[in-house]
């Protein structure tokens, strides 16, 4: 059995996402399962070194696995040829500079989104990586969630006929923090700290829509600050000065209309926190993060408008769930495994820094559309 | 017992809406219940004369009640002083001319919506009626549907705290007519015949939003023709050249954002064919045509984003239906009774031809916004 | 309103089928509804004369409607020019002769199936009618049952993708008559009286399969007499000398395999007495006489063979019923209305005596296949 | 306590069936329970040696038990007198040669089915074993599945009266492998690799029918390739050139008709992946792999044909499940224990190589019947 050992500098794993999704549920999990098996006789084994500023936290994290290295000296790690991949899950404000440095050091790049604070910088990062010839990728985890994979299956197998439109609803009630603790960090609601739901979510809608329904060609977006005052982690009130809801509509190259609402100030009347309702000529689907239900033309009930009486049709009863035909691995881990194969075997990989830059671009255009109160075309990157 | 007998010229009751909602379920029903009781000693009794072109149909309709008059001579009816109200449910293309004639004859006016083919004409109608000093009203029936009355009650009693946003979803799958008969008239999908969902529905959204959430001050609207070919009543295919879906967002004077989708090409994943999801600081509601369910701050579950697992919270379980504390009469009949009181007693009545003109205006602005691809302000009428 | 009055000689309506399905539920029902409406200004009104040998029964039947004529003199009726259609629901043994006579008299022909005792005679009947130039039809009622119409809709709208195979199961337990009365006539189990399930049912399978899945090109059929002794209407035992079960397989011009079992000696483990299970590349359906349920590729569960444990998948739960989007009229009445339109308006009508002869042909080939123990091709008629 | 230690050469246990059913769930399970107890003072203890070509896999398997031997040298094992039984679960193509060698070495034989590629070879194997005087058996596991044992109980206790007919339905949807991985090996659909459902399943139907309903005397069989293209384990499309469905009818010496459909291209509208519907004069049963439900004459509802209305009888409600009166051990293990007793104690054992040859014979005749399009008699072996 041949083992490809791949050294990975993991920067920023002391944060929540970096720690849980990338370190524990992806890299440690891959190690525990014996690596990524690529044939009967070969595997890829990730060998991480955890990098950060807080020694105690790093030690604690390293102790979760067997023989996990750690360091507070990023420069030294970048010089070490043992490490061929640089991974970044720091806050957005610190990401671009570190990634640039790693590219210069010839490392392959894998990082969290958004890849930069603005699209110019994000494109510059992509170009730098391409010029240097290093392999690169950015997180687009939702594509591997069970619900989106089931939806992908419906699309690929022709369930919908022609897809006409998509309604996306994302959101939930984020408590204000006055009487009950908030369940998201307070900086999300401060512009200066990189907050705002448009910046946060439009990156996701870009790759979700591009991958499932065709490249977005234009958008209209309205932001709103529904909750003006929140209370921070220490219980102090502060003014929210950035959008906590976004009402956006996208058009794609295939002529599909995608109307997506995102809100941290809505109460959930859905089965899941994010759902897409897809209508096609031959069938429709409601896809959540994990579950999908469908209604084919053959069992579409005949609705007749008559508000004088209780509806004789129970519309919800005519949807049937999709079965759980596969076991779905953690979405972050799946993308990590694909990236490792890309690095070692050269397998195709479309979720690059350039793709990630498109997400940043869409967020920027969303803010601009809101300001100008009109539709904007999405230029090619 | 004093009885105010009010002669009403009913023009256009051979059509589906005029026949069922206005003649049978409103006027005949009021007659059957002994009129509109306005005090222990007084009632208003409507005395209709059915006007149209098809004698057979008129006779058949008249035979449904006791002593109902009918005529094919509108001019004669308008000259007859016995009749003080003129009601019009003809097709939109014929309405304005007939209403103008009735105003000239000094009749009070009550009519279906849209009141005219364009807002200029609709305003002209309103002005003519005001100038002549006749009382006037136009149908805004949805306001008296049980669901909207319950919602009104929630608003009036302060349930929501500050209302933040509203999502409206209207629509269902209108069969194309190829393999199964269509359930709406084929002209709905032909521009030249007055078709299009924007023209049809934005009139409604205007008075619904104005009355519940404050006057609409601006809008963005995107139309689409999702289904390009349909089969008409005789089974022949024809090209659909007007919008069958509209994705609109309204802002109101109160700063509430109302995002409303309307579609004849969507499969229903709702309890009712039209639902509004209203979010307020203290509570949220989902209001259908007949039923409303609510979730107060006090029973809002804490949502935490974790797509790695099945949601531990069953979000739908935390909504509780409003009780049926009243018996709700037919919405059209309720508005008729209010109009009759307005005519006889001078009771206040805000659902005038001028209000109806606002609906026509909004539909026009919706089409313009779609064309110009930008937000438009809604000027005062 | 113009009324086309069509005189119909109804021969054989004293039997169960003729009386219930043709006279009461078809012709009387059409008269009660005011005839067959063919436009806003025209209707077809059937004017039957009941013909038979038992005066009392005829009088009783005639009294069920207003002004229904009756006669025991068939010859006289055939000479009367008032009557332009001859209908026959006598026993099979008497049918061909009477129909021939009616053709000679220039009457249009409509009759029950089988149209004759053997295919040579059945074709001769068809040829005689065609030569004389009279319009003609034979009962193929099952095509208009709700279940088959829903199945037709699935086929026409492309639900199945490519249709692969069909399993038909028809039958139920016909009590032997010893301890409990039989629920079918005893002659069904006597060869000399025209009994046998192959003769009875293959006529049906022919037009069902031909119309839905393509013309039958070959068949294999095994008959069996499972119950050797039954007790007749008077309680006397008799020997059953003809088939009470048939195990047949058909191939169609489209390459679809249709495996159909028919039995009067099986206990029903189905929702309906006749069901077809249709498998296609993209979806499957189980269609009964009235109800249909479907399973699309998108919700096909992954079955894995493991008899060591209880199945973790509840296979039946993944089927969803088709909605009742239409009101389905009596199947016999629907075909009668189509035949009346065919006679009066010349509307296309494919369910002719020639088609009926194909049913008789298939039954004959079924018996031959059983005898020869091999597949037989079905020659064109 | 006397222990009979029986050395068993297990060849081919690295495959799925050999590993799971024979090694883990049978031999290891028997060892874990302390052997096969044959009296208060005696047990039989199987002592396996795992034989194969892949050392790593053999080591891994051996490590699952205590002191399990393994070897890559079959010849040496056959010479070793410690081992008295030779077991074979290799692919069919390699089986006969190895079994012959083992017979020559004087080993008792136990092996998977089909025992050879054709019936001539299968009979030759049986004859060789009989001539040599070694005990022999072949897998006929389904006979010991709970469902079939319950059915056996009904037959033995006279529940059915005279059994008239049996309908067998086996199958499920094997995914094509394009959008979702296939759940059976791709070679099943390639003729050259020994694929085809007739070859796979008719072996089973032979012993199931022979044991339960009497020896099969004749058959008619139609094969079909419903799905022409599938995608293999590496995701590449290939042409399917052998049957994936079989429509067969058997007659038995008792005159019972057994109509059995087998398909890998059907969606399951059953409770289990294989079900037999058995009709007898006094009662009927539906037997799955594990569960059986019955309907006795005493609770057979009276079905009356009337497609004009919804069936007033819920036919499925009149079946009642058989209770779980016993705990059913793994079917493979049960047959292993019977074979070990046969070897050690000389207990009767009817599931020999000769019986297995009958299964191969039936598959051959099935293919021939399909080709010749006629019924074939089944000659005695």
């Amino acid at each position: 059995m041949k083992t490809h050992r791949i050294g990975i500098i993991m920067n920023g794993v002391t944060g929540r996402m970096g720690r849980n999704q990338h370190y524990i549920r992806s890299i440690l999990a891959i190690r525990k399962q014996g690596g990524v098996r690529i044939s009967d006789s070969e595997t890829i084994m990730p060998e991480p070194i955890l990098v950060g500023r807080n020694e105690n936290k790093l030690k604690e994290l390293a102790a979760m696995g067997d023989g996990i290295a750690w360091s507070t000296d990023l420069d030294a790690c970048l010089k070490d040829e043992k490490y061929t991949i640089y991974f970044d899950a720091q806050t957005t404000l610190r990401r671009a500079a570190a990634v640039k440095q790693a590219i210069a050091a010839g490392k392959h790049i894998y990082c969290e989104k958004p890849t930069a604070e603005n699209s110019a910088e994000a494109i510059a990062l992509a170009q730098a990586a391409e010029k240097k010839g290093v392999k690169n990728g950015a997180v687009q985890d939702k594509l591997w969630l069970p619900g989106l994979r089931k939806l992908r299956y419906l699309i690929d197998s022709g369930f919908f006929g022609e897809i006409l439109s998509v309604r996306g609803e994302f959101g939930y009630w984020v408590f204000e923090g006055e009487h009950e603790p908030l369940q998201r960090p307070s900086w999300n609601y401060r512009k200066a700290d990189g907050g705002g739901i448009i910046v946060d979510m439009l990156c996701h809608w870009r790759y979700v829509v591009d991958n499932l329904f065709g490249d977005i060609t234009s958008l209209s977006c309205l932001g709103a600050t529904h909750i003006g005052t929140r209370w921070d982690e220490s219980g102090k009130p502060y003014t929210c000065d950035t959008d906590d809801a976004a009402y956006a509509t996208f058009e794609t190259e295939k002529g599909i209309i995608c109307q997506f609402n995102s809100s941290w100030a809505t109460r959930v009347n859905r089965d899941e926190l994010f759902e897409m309702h897809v209508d096609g000529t031959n069938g429709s689907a409601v896809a959540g993060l994990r579950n999908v239900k469908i209604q084919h033309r053959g069992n579409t009930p005949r609705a007749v408008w008559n508000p004088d009486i209780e509806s004789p049709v129970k519309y919800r009863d005519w949807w049937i769930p999709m079965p759980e035909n596969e076991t779905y691995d953690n979405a972050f881990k799946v993308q990590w495994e694909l990236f490792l194969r890309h690095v070692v075997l050269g397998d195709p990989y479309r979720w690059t820094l350039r793709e990630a830059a498109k997400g940043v671009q869409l967020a920027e255009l969303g803010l601009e559309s809101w300001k100008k109160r009109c539709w904007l075309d999405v230029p090619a990157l």
Side-chain angles (χ1 to χ4, degrees), chain A:
Chain A
M1 182 69 75
K2 181 175 169 191
T3 300
H4 302 266
R5 298 193 178 274
I6 302 292
I8 305 172
I9 302 163
M10 298 193 81
N11 193 9
V13 288
T14 49
R16 191 174 54 90
M17 287 288 275
R19 167 198 162 97
N20 292 339
Q21 296 293 13
H22 294 283
Y23 177 58
I24 299 175
R25 295 183 200 153
S26 297
I27 296 302
L28 280 191
I30 290 168
R31 288 175 62 86
K32 249 169 229 168
Q33 79 188 17
V36 181
R37 189 182 188 99
I38 57 183
S39 77
D40 278 355
S41 58
E42 282 180 277
T43 54
I44 304 169
M45 180 61 72
E47 304 277 359
I49 181 165
L50 312 180
V51 177
R53 288 162 293 172
N54 185 323
E55 270 194 36
N56 285 337
K57 285 192 183 171
L58 291 171
K59 273 187 202 167
E60 202 181 313
L61 285 170
M64 290 179 174
D66 284 333
I68 304 294
W70 61 270
S71 165
T72 56
D73 186 346
L74 176 60
D75 291 344
C77 294
L78 288 173
K79 278 177 199 141
D80 189 337
E81 295 200 348
K82 183 181 167 198
Y83 300 105
T84 51
I85 292 176
Y86 172 76
F87 167 73
D88 192 292
Q90 298 182 97
T91 64
T92 307
L93 304 179
R94 306 169 64 93
R95 183 166 301 127
V99 167
K100 251 180 262 174
Q101 202 185 338
I103 291 170
K107 306 297 184 196
H108 303 304
I109 303 298
Y110 189 58
C111 67
E112 258 294 345
K113 62 100 235 174
T115 53
E117 285 178 272
N118 56 62
S119 64
E121 206 174 20
I123 297 163
L125 273 191
Q127 287 172 332
E130 290 161 9
K131 198 173 168 190
K132 187 75 177 185
V134 296
K135 280 164 178 153
N136 59 89
V139 175
Q140 303 196 335
D141 57 292
K142 298 197 182 6
L143 293 176
W144 292 276
L145 289 174
L148 275 81
R149 290 177 66 187
K150 291 175 190 168
L151 183 53
R152 169 95 258 162
Y153 170 60
L154 291 178
I155 295 170
D156 288 348
S157 61
F159 170 80
F160 293 107
E162 185 194 346
I163 295 180
L164 306 169
S165 64
V166 185
R167 277 160 191 68
E169 282 283 342
F170 163 80
Y172 48 95
W173 192 263
V174 178
F175 287 105
E176 296 93 326
E178 187 183 14
H179 305 296
E180 63 309 84
L182 29 71
Q183 74 265 50
R184 293 184 61 88
S186 61
W187 66 261
N188 281 173
Y189 309 95
R190 284 190 299 260
K191 193 181 194 68
D193 295 340
I197 202 167
I198 292 176
V199 165
D200 191 55
M201 295 309 296
L202 264 63
C203 299
H204 288 295
W205 304 156
R206 181 66 188 262
Y207 69 76
V208 166
V209 172
D210 277 14
N211 276 275
L212 291 171
F213 308 111
D215 290 348
I216 294 177
T217 53
S218 62
L219 87 160
S220 172
C221 180
L222 174 72
T225 306
H226 287 312
I227 304 293
T229 302
R230 290 179 179 272
W231 281 255
D232 67 16
E233 285 77 359
S234 65
K236 284 182 198 147
Y238 67 102
T239 298
C240 303
D241 63 355
T242 190
D243 46 294
D244 59 9
Y247 305 86
T249 310
F250 312 121
E251 287 181 318
T252 79
E253 53 180 347
K254 294 180 181 169
I256 300 172
I257 293 174
C258 302
Q259 199 280 312
F260 275 56
N261 296 329
S262 315
S263 176
W264 289 321
T266 187
R267 291 181 181 86
V268 182
N269 178 35
R270 283 169 255 129
D271 293 317
E272 305 198 46
L273 296 186
F274 173 50
E275 283 185 356
M276 285 185 284
H277 179 123
V278 183
D279 285 306
T281 48
N282 285 339
S284 298
V286 177
L289 301 163
R290 301 191 61 87
N291 297 304
V292 176
K293 61 182 181 180
I294 61 178
Q295 180 177 103
H296 193 269
R297 173 185 286 278
N299 66 306
T300 301
R302 190 176 186 86
V304 177
W305 177 264
N306 184 1
D308 286 357
I309 55 167
E310 288 291 323
S311 172
V313 183
K314 298 287 166 216
Y315 294 104
R316 293 194 190 277
D317 292 353
W318 296 97
W319 296 83
I320 185 163
M322 285 182 75
E324 202 79 359
N325 284 342
E326 287 184 64
T327 307
Y328 297 98
D329 215 343
N330 177 288
F332 287 87
K333 176 164 171 272
V334 172
Q335 198 184 355
W336 261 109
E337 295 190 349
L338 289 168
F339 186 70
L340 290 174
R341 294 178 66 99
H342 175 54
V343 166
V344 172
L345 303 174
D347 279 6
Y349 191 85
R350 68 159 288 184
W351 312 281
T352 59
L353 286 174
R354 186 161 285 272
E355 288 300 306
K358 290 184 183 174
V360 181
Q361 177 200 33
L362 196 75
E364 274 176 16
L365 290 170
L367 292 165
E368 189 183 339
S369 166
W370 177 16
K371 199 173 164 191
K372 291 191 174 162
R373 298 179 71 76
C374 64
W375 281 82
L376 293 177
D377 288 336
V378 177
L381 272 196

